[in-house]
Amino acid sequence: MAAVAWGRCLPRVWLRRRAGPGCGRHYRAALCAELKQPLAIEEVASRPVRPHEVRVDVHFCGVNFADILVCRGQYQEKPQLPFTPGMEFSGTVLETGTDVSTVKEGDRVIGVSGFNGMAEECIIDHKTLWQIPEGVPLREAATLPVSYVTAILALEHRACTRPGETVLVTAAAGATGLAVIDVATNVLQAKVIAAAGSDEKCRLAMRKGAQSIVNYSQGSLKEAVRKLVGSDGVNVVIDAVGGDVFLEALHSLAWEGRIVVVGFAGGTIASVPANLLLLKNVSAMGLYWGRYKEQNFPIFSRILSSALQYCQQGCIQPHIGAVFKLEESRG
């Protein structure tokens, strides 16, 4: 895997398929045949679609931190080898099964594919496809299912963020962090403090709409937040780092504040001091994006539809770190 394509320094990278015919007897796909090894680009035989399925000509596929973890064997889900990574994609419908009436050939769609989107073609259940509204480019649409659904679930569904509240987001220059800044600022009219591990990342977060920034590699996050908002604290924290950063963010909460855990990019899982939850009447909760697709699909679908609508209306501006061809994913 190319370092530039998979490095954590980039908040979001994308794979673009080569120009060419849609469905043929074979198509190219990125395959993980061995964990912690470069991907291979191989020709894969097409199979017939089942009655409930749709064949999509994939144009763009998001590369998420979860793709990196699953290729290392470090993700919650562990697909059987060999597998094709890629959890989200955009493209056009090539073929539909006999029972499908929600989309038709030629429709522009985004899909949530589990782990098989990093290919020129993807066969997927029609229930996990959403039509892309007019005016939303395929490239931008491919950014929405993972990071923006996570951001909206965390801010609206879990934390119940209200206009005027202050939101602290850690790992703010990552894909999810930038989506949180975008949604909190431009949809929910909240004030955002962006916390990241370098000045460069902080500057990016500021350009994307954060009102204040904190570089937590240079000192205490808790003290930096106190200087910005005083002793009252912040109303909401969206944390993707874990460890000491999570604990300092938890201590930065205001009375009846809410902290939502969305990941552990720092590699350490902290223990929650329950006495602090009691003393400040704060709530600590988790958000596992993939479980909503399985356990509460109506909410997942509604929020993804909202993300598409926000994008069509120009309320959100997804950040794309870089675009690569499929063959560049080998590294």
Side-chain angles (χ1 to χ4, degrees):
M1 296 180 288
V4 67
W6 295 86
R8 288 173 60 189
C9 59
L10 289 177
R12 174 70 74 168
V13 290
W14 304 99
L15 297 176
R16 181 176 63 85
R17 66 155 299 163
R18 65 181 177 183
C23 174
R25 292 190 60 185
H26 292 80
Y27 62 93
R28 296 186 307 158
L31 293 180
C32 178
E34 185 178 353
L35 298 178
K36 302 179 181 179
Q37 296 299 316
L39 300 179
I41 307 300
E42 296 188 8
E43 295 284 334
V44 179
S46 297
R47 67 167 177 84
V49 297
R50 300 185 180 97
H52 63 284
E53 292 178 330
V54 176
R55 189 190 313 276
V56 178
D57 180 18
V58 177
H59 289 242
F60 293 92
C61 175
V63 181
N64 292 278
F65 189 43
D67 292 300
I68 301 172
L69 293 178
V70 76
C71 289
R72 294 174 178 170
Q74 298 172 343
Y75 194 60
Q76 298 97 315
E77 301 173 29
K78 293 178 171 55
Q80 183 177 351
L81 294 170
F83 66 89
T84 295
M87 303 169 67
E88 56 184 353
F89 65 87
S90 65
T92 55
V93 173
L94 291 169
E95 180 186 0
T96 60
T98 55
D99 293 345
V100 176
S101 60
T102 52
V103 295
K104 63 183 184 302
E105 182 180 347
D107 282 351
R108 301 186 318 134
V109 293
I110 55 175
V112 179
S113 59
F115 286 104
N116 64 351
M118 202 176 293
E120 292 180 328
E121 176 183 307
C122 183
I123 294 179
I124 189 170
D125 191 306
H126 72 98
K127 293 179 181 179
T128 53
L129 285 177
W130 288 259
Q131 291 200 47
I132 300 173
E134 183 178 354
V136 177
L138 284 167
R139 189 179 73 165
E140 279 66 25
T143 70
L144 300 176
V146 176
S147 60
Y148 274 87
V149 169
T150 298
I152 297 170
L153 278 169
L155 289 165
E156 292 188 7
H157 183 68
R158 299 295 279 156
C160 301
T161 307
R162 296 181 289 271
E165 289 193 314
T166 300
V167 176
L168 169 65
V169 54
T170 65
T176 298
L178 292 173
V180 168
I181 294 170
D182 202 1
V183 173
T185 301
N186 299 312
V187 176
L188 301 177
Q189 285 78 55
K191 295 173 286 188
V192 175
I193 301 173
S198 73
D199 290 340
E200 179 184 3
K201 292 177 180 180
C202 287
R203 287 192 293 268
L204 173 59
M206 182 70 83
R207 291 198 301 271
K208 297 303 293 183
Q211 284 74 43
S212 305
I213 52 176
V214 174
N215 182 346
Y216 44 62
S217 70
Q218 297 180 349
S220 167
L221 173 62
K222 176 184 174 183
E223 292 305 315
V225 170
R226 181 186 296 271
K227 290 179 181 178
L228 290 170
V229 299
S231 58
D232 289 342
V234 299
N235 306 107
V236 174
V237 173
I238 311 297
D239 178 55
V241 178
D244 291 340
V245 170
F246 165 82
L247 292 172
E248 292 203 53
L250 180 64
H251 280 86
S252 301
L253 281 173
W255 168 261
E256 292 191 336
R258 294 85 73 198
I259 185 168
V260 184
V261 177
V262 299
F264 310 100
T268 303
I269 299 174
S271 297
V272 178
N275 63 315
L276 185 62
L277 306 184
L278 183 150
L279 293 172
K280 298 181 72 173
N281 275 22
V282 300
S283 301
M285 60 196 85
L287 170 59
Y288 179 17
W289 171 90
R291 288 297 296 274
Y292 275 91
K293 187 164 69 76
E294 306 300 329
Q295 300 291 326
N296 199 333
F297 185 78
I299 286 182
F300 182 91
S301 182
R302 175 177 60 81
I303 286 180
L304 183 46
S305 297
S306 295
L308 283 164
Q309 183 180 12
Y310 294 153
C311 196
Q312 184 186 35
Q313 295 170 344
C315 299
I316 57 175
Q317 301 291 332
H319 179 79
I320 298 172
V323 179
F324 301 95
K325 297 178 181 179
L326 178 62
E327 53 268 23
E328 293 179 278
S329 67
R330 291 178 297 188

